[in-house]
Amino acid sequence: AGVDYSYLHLRRAPKITSTISAVYQHDMFGGMGWVQGSWHHIGAEDLTFANSPQGHNGPQDLVDASINFRIRATTFSFYGKNLTKDNAWAQAYDVANLWTYAAVINPRTYGFRMIQDF
């Protein structure tokens, strides 16, 4: 006398995911400079085991880009993430069949990073 859950979709299992990434690099100013961009597509997916509508993501298209320069052991990088400003859930959980807890993905983010290798 079990319950049939075969109609549910697998959690976090979109039918398709794909990524296209490109890098152009060039020696310059005594170091190496490069520009990088990527597009990541994630198909529609359910984030909870019970497939609650509150934990459903539609298709996502995430674009990231960076401009980088490395000289000796130091790398400088200007970057942008989620440039398409996609809104989706990063994770979701059903809590005792009473409510669904969900957290959003990071919003559009820009920044500067300096990395020193020792």
Side-chain angles (χ1 to χ4, degrees):
V3 179
D4 179 15
Y5 290 115
S6 63
Y7 64 92
L8 294 174
H9 297 114
L10 288 175
R11 178 179 177 259
R12 300 188 72 83
K15 289 184 180 181
I16 187 168
T17 61
S18 58
T19 299
I20 296 174
S21 184
V23 177
Y24 174 77
Q25 62 184 29
H26 186 68
D27 292 329
M28 55 194 299
F29 309 116
M32 171 68 71
W34 70 96
V35 177
Q36 181 172 356
S38 66
W39 167 75
H40 185 65
H41 174 78
I42 303 169
E45 64 180 336
D46 288 292
L47 300 178
T48 64
F49 290 110
N51 293 166
S52 64
Q54 298 86 354
H56 178 79
N57 273 342
Q60 301 171 57
D61 290 296
L62 305 171
V63 175
D64 300 334
S66 64
I67 300 171
N68 311 278
F69 180 71
R70 180 174 179 85
I71 187 163
R72 294 185 219 52
T74 306
T75 303
F76 304 93
S77 178
F78 290 100
Y79 66 90
K81 294 183 175 269
N82 191 8
L83 296 175
T84 53
K85 208 173 175 183
D86 204 331
N87 294 317
W89 302 116
Q91 61 185 353
Y93 302 100
D94 289 325
V95 180
N97 291 328
L98 298 174
W99 70 84
T100 300
Y101 160 80
V104 296
I105 63 173
N106 290 331
R108 182 185 296 163
T109 307
Y110 299 97
F112 172 76
R113 182 178 328 173
M114 184 176 80
I115 301 168
Q116 179 66 45
D117 294 330
F118 296 98

